[in-house]
Amino acid sequence: MSESKKTRWYKDAVIYQIYPRSFCDSNGDGIGDIRGIISKLDYIKDLGVTAVWLSPCYKSPNDDNGYDISDYRDIMDEFGTLDDWKEMLAGLHERGIKLIMDLVVNHTSDEHEWFKQSRSSVDNPYRDYYFWRKGRGKDGKKPPNNWTSRFGGSAWAYDDATSEWYLHLFTKKQPDLNWDNPKVRKEVHDLVDYWLDLGVDGFRCDVITYISKVAGLPNGKFNPIQCGDEMFTHGPHIHEYLSALNNEVISRYDAMTVGEAAGVTIEQGLLYTAESRGELDMVFEFEHILSEAYFSLLPKKFNLKQYKAIMSKWQDGMHGKGWNSLYLENHDQPRALGRCTGDYGDKRKEASKMLAVALNLLQGTPYIYQGQEIGMTNCDFSPDEYQDVMVKTILGIVKKYVPFLKPVALKVLKKKARDNARTPMQWDGSEKAGFTTGAPWLKINPNHTEINVAEAEKDPTSILNFHKNLNRYRVGNQTVKLGSYRQFDKNNKKIYCYERAHNGKKLLVVCNFKNAEVPFSPPAEYNGFTAAAVIQNYPTARTLSPFSLQPYEAVVFEVDC
Ligand code: GLC
Ligand code: CA
């Protein structure tokens, strides 16, 4: 398909992210699966989303829950079969919902056939599919450089078979692919083509900004926590590799791509997403979740002024040139409630709805992570309840080198652990939350007795019903899709107020981020205009005149001008 025929359907989309392991278990083994997803297709349709991003469902030994792939062309045993997957795809498409698959090609599993071959001998044809180096020091027992894994510790593992080290930016079971080898690029092109040919509508490209490493793999600047970033983030050939992937394969289909891009700046974001360049359609930047590194353990307090400045920078910077992704949650981030709202007390519903309004009326493609639509929250784990390899790696390092810091590490993990977002989906208030009939692979949040889909469906004022209405309002709305963006009162630390304007229509979005009453006056230029409040999270009637916003109140006015 030529660039000009690309429909850019993603600009009208709302995307729902499914983390399959935690979504719905159809056979009682405690692990979510594809038939579980099939049983919820009507729920997804009813939510008013238009596409699904499915976290990895390929064959995997599950060291990092599927982000370690051992066969790119088949489905993980626990999740079902390729036929189940095809049935799911057909079911989505029948309902007018597109499917985005996760593309994890910075690394494979160490159980992938390529790596098994690669590690077997120095002259195996697959040797250069990965990065193998001799160690430093007299006996070669020191890693080849100072790069660290994103999960902590050295990014190199020693392999006895050939007495060399291989690179892994994530766990030891996730060796990095060597994209400088044209055969690796060809393999990736072929597997992308395989899934597009089966009918998928696009890809979320996992840690894609890490695929090109600086030649010679030199030491990175010393940093006590993470080293090497500047040697492999937005590396020397990244744009060349991405445009080849797009030109040779993806652009033959009407498919979209979104790249995970920790640490990306607006300038780099434009290089990746400018339509004229044909690389990616959008990136997930990390600035607004206040975590510039891949994973920042240092808890940063949410600061509305800073958040507004970051969102505004991306809104202005991308307008008319690239395209934004809009997200607060995914399977790697703790839940947004609490993180972006402070202590919300008994105002969970109001706070959750307000966050949705503040984000989803910006320009870009909104992503809703499973459970966000019912206001799921972080979970209180005891140390042995965590399942995430990242948590285990961090606690292992703490135990070995700084055991006295364990209480501090546990305190930080309580807030930051990825397991917070991965607890099973809360379908109902029964013992296993309607997720499984067996023993769930990860703790179910005890608050499922109150926070669950069944309750939310019954309650007209639920977060779920609010999301449904917001999605229906957004999809097809030209002001939201195309309108200009302007922020008001940027120094206000309590209220986020912005305008979207297009073709004689304006939307004024007003959101109170505090669990307190806050006075609000419409911007002066709105004086004399009449407006209708089209979205509200309180029943109180609002007009375009000064009033006191209730805790976490959100109001959207539509103004004809
Ligand atoms: C991405 C995924 C994360 C995974 C990592 C390694 O950041 O979102 O879950 O651990 O890549 O594949
Ligand atoms: Ca199952």
Short mmCIF file of all heavy atoms in Angstrom, two decimals, residues 362-395:
data_model
loop_
_atom_site.label_atom_id
_atom_site.label_comp_id
_atom_site.label_asym_id
_atom_site.label_seq_id
_atom_site.Cartn_x
_atom_site.Cartn_y
_atom_site.Cartn_z
N LEU A 362 -7.27 15.02 24.73
CA LEU A 362 -6.10 15.59 24.07
C LEU A 362 -6.03 15.03 22.65
O LEU A 362 -6.73 14.08 22.29
CB LEU A 362 -4.83 15.23 24.84
CG LEU A 362 -4.71 15.86 26.23
CD1 LEU A 362 -3.54 15.24 27.00
CD2 LEU A 362 -4.52 17.37 26.12
N GLN A 363 -5.11 15.61 21.84
CA GLN A 363 -4.94 15.06 20.49
C GLN A 363 -4.02 13.84 20.55
O GLN A 363 -2.95 13.88 21.15
CB GLN A 363 -4.33 16.11 19.55
CG GLN A 363 -4.31 15.60 18.12
CD GLN A 363 -3.87 16.64 17.12
OE1 GLN A 363 -2.91 17.36 17.37
NE2 GLN A 363 -4.55 16.73 16.00
N GLY A 364 -4.44 12.77 19.90
CA GLY A 364 -3.63 11.56 19.91
C GLY A 364 -4.53 10.34 19.98
O GLY A 364 -5.74 10.44 19.85
N THR A 365 -3.93 9.20 20.22
CA THR A 365 -4.70 7.96 20.34
C THR A 365 -4.69 7.50 21.79
O THR A 365 -3.62 7.19 22.33
CB THR A 365 -4.09 6.85 19.45
OG1 THR A 365 -4.05 7.32 18.11
CG2 THR A 365 -4.90 5.57 19.54
N PRO A 366 -5.85 7.48 22.46
CA PRO A 366 -5.88 7.04 23.85
C PRO A 366 -5.74 5.52 23.98
O PRO A 366 -6.27 4.77 23.16
CB PRO A 366 -7.25 7.46 24.36
CG PRO A 366 -7.91 8.20 23.26
CD PRO A 366 -7.17 7.92 22.00
N TYR A 367 -5.05 5.11 25.02
CA TYR A 367 -4.91 3.70 25.37
C TYR A 367 -5.51 3.51 26.75
O TYR A 367 -5.18 4.25 27.68
CB TYR A 367 -3.43 3.30 25.42
CG TYR A 367 -2.76 3.28 24.07
CD1 TYR A 367 -2.41 4.46 23.43
CD2 TYR A 367 -2.50 2.08 23.42
CE1 TYR A 367 -1.81 4.45 22.18
CE2 TYR A 367 -1.90 2.06 22.16
CZ TYR A 367 -1.56 3.25 21.55
OH TYR A 367 -0.98 3.23 20.31
N ILE A 368 -6.38 2.51 26.86
CA ILE A 368 -6.96 2.17 28.16
C ILE A 368 -6.42 0.80 28.54
O ILE A 368 -6.54 -0.15 27.76
CB ILE A 368 -8.50 2.11 28.08
CG1 ILE A 368 -9.05 3.48 27.64
CG2 ILE A 368 -9.10 1.69 29.42
CD1 ILE A 368 -10.54 3.46 27.34
N TYR A 369 -5.80 0.71 29.68
CA TYR A 369 -5.23 -0.58 30.11
C TYR A 369 -6.27 -1.35 30.90
O TYR A 369 -6.95 -0.78 31.76
CB TYR A 369 -3.97 -0.32 30.96
CG TYR A 369 -3.39 -1.58 31.53
CD1 TYR A 369 -2.89 -2.57 30.70
CD2 TYR A 369 -3.35 -1.80 32.91
CE1 TYR A 369 -2.37 -3.75 31.21
CE2 TYR A 369 -2.82 -2.97 33.43
CZ TYR A 369 -2.34 -3.95 32.58
OH TYR A 369 -1.83 -5.11 33.08
N GLN A 370 -6.38 -2.64 30.67
CA GLN A 370 -7.43 -3.45 31.30
C GLN A 370 -7.54 -3.15 32.80
O GLN A 370 -6.54 -3.13 33.52
CB GLN A 370 -7.18 -4.94 31.08
CG GLN A 370 -5.97 -5.49 31.78
CD GLN A 370 -5.71 -6.96 31.43
OE1 GLN A 370 -5.84 -7.38 30.29
NE2 GLN A 370 -5.35 -7.75 32.43
N GLY A 371 -8.76 -2.92 33.25
CA GLY A 371 -8.99 -2.63 34.66
C GLY A 371 -9.06 -1.14 34.94
O GLY A 371 -9.70 -0.71 35.90
N GLN A 372 -8.40 -0.35 34.08
CA GLN A 372 -8.45 1.11 34.25
C GLN A 372 -9.91 1.58 34.12
O GLN A 372 -10.32 2.53 34.78
CB GLN A 372 -7.57 1.75 33.16
CG GLN A 372 -7.28 3.22 33.35
CD GLN A 372 -6.30 3.73 32.30
OE1 GLN A 372 -5.78 2.97 31.46
NE2 GLN A 372 -6.02 5.02 32.33
N GLU A 373 -10.66 0.89 33.25
CA GLU A 373 -12.04 1.31 32.98
C GLU A 373 -12.98 1.03 34.15
O GLU A 373 -14.12 1.48 34.15
CB GLU A 373 -12.55 0.65 31.69
CG GLU A 373 -12.95 -0.82 31.79
CD GLU A 373 -11.78 -1.80 31.64
OE1 GLU A 373 -10.63 -1.40 31.90
OE2 GLU A 373 -12.02 -2.98 31.30
N ILE A 374 -12.50 0.28 35.17
CA ILE A 374 -13.33 0.14 36.39
C ILE A 374 -12.61 0.75 37.60
O ILE A 374 -13.02 0.55 38.74
CB ILE A 374 -13.72 -1.34 36.67
CG1 ILE A 374 -12.49 -2.25 36.70
CG2 ILE A 374 -14.75 -1.83 35.67
CD1 ILE A 374 -12.77 -3.64 37.27
N GLY A 375 -11.52 1.45 37.33
CA GLY A 375 -10.79 2.11 38.42
C GLY A 375 -10.08 1.14 39.33
O GLY A 375 -10.11 1.28 40.56
N MET A 376 -9.42 0.13 38.75
CA MET A 376 -8.63 -0.79 39.59
C MET A 376 -7.45 -0.04 40.20
O MET A 376 -6.96 0.94 39.66
CB MET A 376 -8.16 -2.01 38.78
CG MET A 376 -9.26 -3.08 38.69
SD MET A 376 -8.84 -4.53 37.67
CE MET A 376 -7.45 -5.24 38.53
N THR A 377 -7.01 -0.54 41.36
CA THR A 377 -5.98 0.16 42.13
C THR A 377 -4.76 -0.74 42.35
O THR A 377 -4.83 -1.94 42.11
CB THR A 377 -6.52 0.55 43.52
OG1 THR A 377 -6.76 -0.67 44.24
CG2 THR A 377 -7.82 1.33 43.43
N ASN A 378 -3.70 -0.15 42.86
CA ASN A 378 -2.54 -0.94 43.27
C ASN A 378 -2.97 -1.98 44.31
O ASN A 378 -3.99 -1.81 44.98
CB ASN A 378 -1.46 -0.05 43.88
CG ASN A 378 -0.70 0.72 42.82
OD1 ASN A 378 -0.88 0.49 41.62
ND2 ASN A 378 0.15 1.62 43.25
N CYS A 379 -2.13 -2.99 44.47
CA CYS A 379 -2.48 -4.09 45.38
C CYS A 379 -1.44 -4.12 46.50
O CYS A 379 -0.28 -3.78 46.28
CB CYS A 379 -2.45 -5.38 44.58
SG CYS A 379 -3.00 -6.82 45.47
N ASP A 380 -1.87 -4.55 47.68
CA ASP A 380 -0.92 -4.61 48.79
C ASP A 380 -0.28 -6.00 48.81
O ASP A 380 -0.92 -6.97 49.25
CB ASP A 380 -1.71 -4.33 50.08
CG ASP A 380 -0.79 -3.98 51.22
OD1 ASP A 380 0.41 -3.75 50.95
OD2 ASP A 380 -1.26 -3.96 52.37
N PHE A 381 0.95 -6.12 48.33
CA PHE A 381 1.61 -7.43 48.27
C PHE A 381 2.52 -7.64 49.48
O PHE A 381 3.22 -6.70 49.89
CB PHE A 381 2.52 -7.52 47.03
CG PHE A 381 1.78 -7.53 45.72
CD1 PHE A 381 1.68 -6.37 44.96
CD2 PHE A 381 1.19 -8.69 45.24
CE1 PHE A 381 1.01 -6.38 43.74
CE2 PHE A 381 0.52 -8.70 44.02
CZ PHE A 381 0.44 -7.54 43.28
N SER A 382 2.54 -8.84 50.01
CA SER A 382 3.62 -9.16 50.94
C SER A 382 4.80 -9.61 50.07
O SER A 382 4.61 -10.03 48.93
CB SER A 382 3.19 -10.24 51.92
OG SER A 382 2.87 -11.42 51.22
N PRO A 383 6.05 -9.51 50.60
CA PRO A 383 7.23 -9.72 49.75
C PRO A 383 7.19 -11.02 48.94
O PRO A 383 7.59 -11.03 47.79
CB PRO A 383 8.39 -9.72 50.74
CG PRO A 383 7.91 -8.91 51.90
CD PRO A 383 6.43 -9.11 51.96
N ASP A 384 6.67 -12.08 49.51
CA ASP A 384 6.70 -13.35 48.77
C ASP A 384 5.54 -13.49 47.78
O ASP A 384 5.44 -14.48 47.07
CB ASP A 384 6.75 -14.55 49.73
CG ASP A 384 5.60 -14.50 50.72
OD1 ASP A 384 5.01 -13.40 50.88
OD2 ASP A 384 5.28 -15.54 51.33
N GLU A 385 4.68 -12.49 47.70
CA GLU A 385 3.57 -12.57 46.74
C GLU A 385 3.94 -12.01 45.37
O GLU A 385 3.25 -12.25 44.39
CB GLU A 385 2.34 -11.84 47.28
CG GLU A 385 1.62 -12.64 48.36
CD GLU A 385 0.52 -11.85 49.06
OE1 GLU A 385 0.59 -10.59 49.12
OE2 GLU A 385 -0.40 -12.49 49.58
N TYR A 386 5.02 -11.24 45.30
CA TYR A 386 5.42 -10.69 43.99
C TYR A 386 5.80 -11.81 43.05
O TYR A 386 6.39 -12.81 43.46
CB TYR A 386 6.63 -9.75 44.14
CG TYR A 386 6.32 -8.45 44.83
CD1 TYR A 386 6.87 -8.15 46.08
CD2 TYR A 386 5.51 -7.50 44.22
CE1 TYR A 386 6.61 -6.93 46.71
CE2 TYR A 386 5.24 -6.28 44.84
CZ TYR A 386 5.80 -6.01 46.09
OH TYR A 386 5.53 -4.81 46.69
N GLN A 387 5.49 -11.65 41.77
CA GLN A 387 5.84 -12.65 40.76
C GLN A 387 6.81 -12.08 39.72
O GLN A 387 7.43 -12.82 38.98
CB GLN A 387 4.58 -13.12 40.02
CG GLN A 387 3.59 -13.87 40.89
CD GLN A 387 4.13 -15.20 41.36
OE1 GLN A 387 4.99 -15.81 40.72
NE2 GLN A 387 3.67 -15.66 42.52
N ASP A 388 6.90 -10.76 39.61
CA ASP A 388 7.63 -10.14 38.51
C ASP A 388 9.14 -10.37 38.61
O ASP A 388 9.74 -10.12 39.66
CB ASP A 388 7.32 -8.64 38.50
CG ASP A 388 7.99 -7.92 37.35
OD1 ASP A 388 8.52 -8.60 36.44
OD2 ASP A 388 7.99 -6.67 37.37
N VAL A 389 9.73 -10.77 37.50
CA VAL A 389 11.18 -11.03 37.45
C VAL A 389 11.97 -9.76 37.77
O VAL A 389 13.06 -9.81 38.32
CB VAL A 389 11.57 -11.62 36.07
CG1 VAL A 389 11.38 -10.59 34.94
CG2 VAL A 389 12.99 -12.15 36.07
N MET A 390 11.38 -8.61 37.46
CA MET A 390 12.08 -7.36 37.77
C MET A 390 12.19 -7.18 39.28
O MET A 390 13.25 -6.85 39.81
CB MET A 390 11.33 -6.18 37.15
CG MET A 390 11.99 -4.85 37.35
SD MET A 390 10.87 -3.56 36.85
CE MET A 390 11.83 -2.70 35.69
N VAL A 391 11.09 -7.42 39.98
CA VAL A 391 11.09 -7.31 41.44
C VAL A 391 12.09 -8.31 42.03
O VAL A 391 12.90 -7.97 42.90
CB VAL A 391 9.68 -7.58 42.01
CG1 VAL A 391 9.71 -7.65 43.53
CG2 VAL A 391 8.71 -6.51 41.55
N LYS A 392 12.05 -9.54 41.50
CA LYS A 392 12.93 -10.57 42.05
C LYS A 392 14.39 -10.23 41.80
O LYS A 392 15.24 -10.45 42.68
CB LYS A 392 12.57 -11.93 41.43
CG LYS A 392 11.22 -12.43 41.93
CD LYS A 392 10.86 -13.77 41.34
CE LYS A 392 9.50 -14.21 41.88
NZ LYS A 392 8.96 -15.34 41.17
N THR A 393 14.68 -9.68 40.62
CA THR A 393 16.07 -9.31 40.32
C THR A 393 16.54 -8.21 41.27
O THR A 393 17.62 -8.28 41.85
CB THR A 393 16.20 -8.84 38.85
OG1 THR A 393 15.57 -9.81 38.02
CG2 THR A 393 17.65 -8.68 38.44
N ILE A 394 15.70 -7.21 41.43
CA ILE A 394 16.08 -6.09 42.30
C ILE A 394 16.28 -6.58 43.74
O ILE A 394 17.30 -6.28 44.39
CB ILE A 394 15.01 -4.96 42.26
CG1 ILE A 394 15.02 -4.31 40.87
CG2 ILE A 394 15.27 -3.91 43.34
CD1 ILE A 394 13.86 -3.39 40.60
N LEU A 395 15.36 -7.40 44.24
CA LEU A 395 15.49 -7.87 45.62
C LEU A 395 16.72 -8.78 45.76
O LEU A 395 17.40 -8.76 46.80
CB LEU A 395 14.22 -8.60 46.08
CG LEU A 395 13.01 -7.69 46.32
CD1 LEU A 395 11.79 -8.50 46.75
CD2 LEU A 395 13.31 -6.60 47.38
#
